[in-house]
Amino acid sequence: MNYRRILLLIGVLTLVFTLVLTGCGAEEAADKNEEDQEEKQEEEEQEAENNDNNELEQIAWNQNTGNEDYQDGTYRGVFSDGGEMQVNVQFTLEDNEITDIDFRHLTYGGEDYLEPDDDTTEGLKEQHMELLDYLEGEDVRTGLAALYEPGGIVDDEVDGFSGATLRANKISYAVRDGLNRGVYSFDDIPEGYNPVLGESFEDGTYRGVFSDGGEMQVNVQFTLENNEITEIDFRHLAYDGDDYLESENELVVGIKDQHKELLDYLEGTDIRDSLVDLYEPGEIVEDEVDGFTGATLRSNKIISAMKDGLNKGVYSGDIAEAYTPHPDYSFEDGTYRGIFEDGGEMQVNTQFTLEDNVITEIGFRHLSYGGEDYLESDDDTIEGIKEQHKELIDHLEGTDIRVSLADLYEPGEIVEDDVDGFTGATLRSNKIIYSVVDGLNKGIYSQP
């Protein structure tokens, strides 16, 4: 009897022990399953964040136009060099295909190719038109590459000028400039379109321009703090040679005030939300000036100018210690050209060559201020200031452009010589930064 009780007790204990172990195992399995789910969710969130970051990088800057879908619409862009606008194009995209493209301005050395005075210039114009004809119907992301070998497109020779001698890369630069600025105009604004959607911008002051038809028309300066436009104003506003900021003509003054009303609308707003509103200026400006209503204003020129500033990064301000334009990118080997324009004139024009992101060569193609050509002046003071600027670009040569370019925000650390009171600290070296970044934004000008 006692023996049976002992066996029964052992059986009960065994059963209880088994149930306890099973329960613990189930609990551990449940805990492990929960941990696996949490880990998987974290991985998915991290992957989504990485994808978002990758998308932002593509939106913020795109060197070779190869990996981005472009918004349907009409674009305008320019190529300027040596102190003058040389190429100005307008083109329309539909599903990334160039459906229409034409010149708005085409000059060299002061010669207007669109209004030729002789047979040679007429022939050169036709050669350039042939290049545009080639692009029409091409995918903008891949078709531009052919312009590096224009001899494969243009067969005719004009007084010794063959297709191979054409500077077709100027057209490529102008098209890329248009792409960087975003859509200039729409037939109908797509729902949800925003020229700066998703980006976050460094605090500081920015400058940008819109040029068209051979002249700078809009030049803006604006300050951002946590993406909010805290201050904005025109530095230049002109059309067809008429300076809207200086004119005393009542009609022009009225139109100037309409444009300022557009800027006033932006002040105090998040640039990522409000800039798109300028595509519909009639919703902002209600006053009419001699038949010019808000709806007739070319406010897309302001959009283009502000996009230009954003594309080039911070011009001045309390620059964050770790800030550098275009960090973490790797640039294509080749030669680049870029400009800085302000106040109605080109002031800095640089050309530089990169190899494995190192600046192997850099020089000025144009350097001026207030109409004074610093590269050609015989004045001793101007000559000294020119040498100070050359010292700045000498600092860049042989360095990784992604690291050294930001050094120019503190020129006093580079240039020590004083020229008639002009020290390194007083140099506007940020103009060089803007010029170099402009070149990077447009990709290589010529291949190695």
Side-chain angles (χ1 to χ4, degrees), residues 64-78:
N64 295 313
T65 70
N67 301 313
E68 186 173 346
D69 283 327
Y70 292 96
Q71 177 66 49
D72 291 353
T74 297
Y75 296 72
R76 289 187 186 179
V78 302

Side-chain angles (χ1 to χ4, degrees), residues 167-182:
R167 294 293 183 263
N169 38 10
K170 298 179 180 182
I171 297 174
S172 179
Y173 252 41
V175 171
R176 282 182 175 150
D177 180 59
L179 294 173
N180 288 339
R181 293 170 180 273

Side-chain angles (χ1 to χ4, degrees), residues 184-428:
Y184 178 76
S185 62
F186 297 97
D187 289 333
D188 295 300
I189 301 173
E191 185 177 352
Y193 174 75
N194 192 321
V196 291
L197 183 64
E199 300 178 51
S200 185
F201 300 98
E202 187 76 23
D203 289 353
T205 297
Y206 297 72
R207 289 187 185 179
V209 303
F210 170 80
S211 297
D212 193 64
E215 67 173 348
M216 181 188 296
Q217 297 183 8
V218 177
N219 182 193
V220 292
Q221 176 170 301
F222 55 98
T223 301
L224 297 181
E225 186 174 340
N226 296 326
N227 298 300
E228 180 184 316
I229 302 171
T230 59
E231 191 174 1
I232 183 169
D233 206 354
F234 290 112
R235 293 182 59 81
H236 187 75
L237 185 64
Y239 182 72
D240 199 22
D242 207 338
D243 187 335
Y244 283 32
L245 299 184
E246 298 295 331
S247 178
E248 296 179 356
N249 179 283
E250 289 186 9
L251 173 59
V252 175
V253 170
I255 296 173
K256 176 191 72 176
D257 290 340
Q258 287 179 319
H259 282 83
K260 287 199 169 185
E261 196 171 338
L262 292 170
L263 298 196
D264 290 342
Y265 170 81
L266 294 175
E267 195 161 312
T269 66
D270 189 317
I271 194 170
R272 301 168 300 179
D273 298 329
S274 60
L275 189 58
V276 67
D277 295 341
L278 267 62
Y279 282 113
E280 296 182 314
E283 300 295 319
I284 301 171
V285 177
E286 297 179 357
D287 294 337
E288 182 176 315
V289 179
D290 283 359
F292 293 93
T293 66
T296 62
L297 293 176
R298 293 294 182 264
S299 52
N300 37 12
K301 298 179 180 182
I302 298 175
I303 296 174
S304 183
M306 295 185 71
K307 277 282 290 183
D308 179 57
L310 293 173
N311 288 339
K312 292 174 182 173
V314 175
Y315 178 76
S316 64
D318 188 12
I319 308 296
E321 185 175 347
Y323 175 74
T324 184
H326 294 331
D328 304 325
Y329 290 106
S330 185
F331 299 100
E332 190 174 358
D333 289 353
T335 297
Y336 297 71
R337 289 187 186 179
I339 61 173
F340 170 79
E341 296 176 296
D342 194 63
E345 66 172 346
M346 181 189 297
Q347 297 183 10
V348 178
N349 182 193
T350 55
Q351 176 171 301
F352 55 97
T353 301
L354 296 183
E355 186 174 340
D356 295 329
N357 298 301
V358 171
I359 302 172
T360 59
E361 190 175 3
I362 184 170
F364 290 112
R365 293 182 58 80
H366 187 76
L367 185 64
S368 70
Y369 182 73
E372 184 78 53
D373 187 336
Y374 284 32
L375 300 184
E376 299 294 334
S377 178
D378 295 327
D379 181 89
D380 289 342
T381 300
I382 299 297
E383 176 69 24
I385 295 173
K386 178 188 76 174
E387 292 304 318
Q388 287 179 318
H389 281 82
K390 285 193 172 183
E391 197 171 338
L392 291 170
I393 60 175
D394 287 344
H395 170 80
L396 296 176
E397 196 160 312
T399 66
D400 188 317
I401 195 169
R402 301 166 299 180
V403 177
S404 61
L405 189 58
D407 295 345
L408 270 61
Y409 282 114
E410 296 182 342
E413 301 295 319
I414 301 171
V415 177
E416 298 179 357
D417 295 337
D418 187 309
V419 178
D420 285 354
F422 294 95
T423 66
T426 63
L427 293 175
R428 293 294 182 263

Side-chain angles (χ1 to χ4, degrees), residues 133-195:
D133 290 342
Y134 167 82
L135 289 177
E136 198 159 309
E138 292 289 319
D139 188 317
V140 72
R141 300 169 299 180
T142 55
L144 294 179
L147 269 59
Y148 286 111
E149 297 181 354
I153 301 172
V154 177
D155 295 326
D156 297 335
E157 183 174 310
V158 178
D159 286 353
F161 295 96
S162 66
T165 63
L166 293 176
R167 294 293 183 263
N169 38 10
K170 298 179 180 182
I171 297 174
S172 179
Y173 252 41
V175 171
R176 282 182 175 150
D177 180 59
L179 294 173
N180 288 339
R181 293 170 180 273
V183 176
Y184 178 76
S185 62
F186 297 97
D187 289 333
D188 295 300
I189 301 173
E191 185 177 352
Y193 174 75
N194 192 321

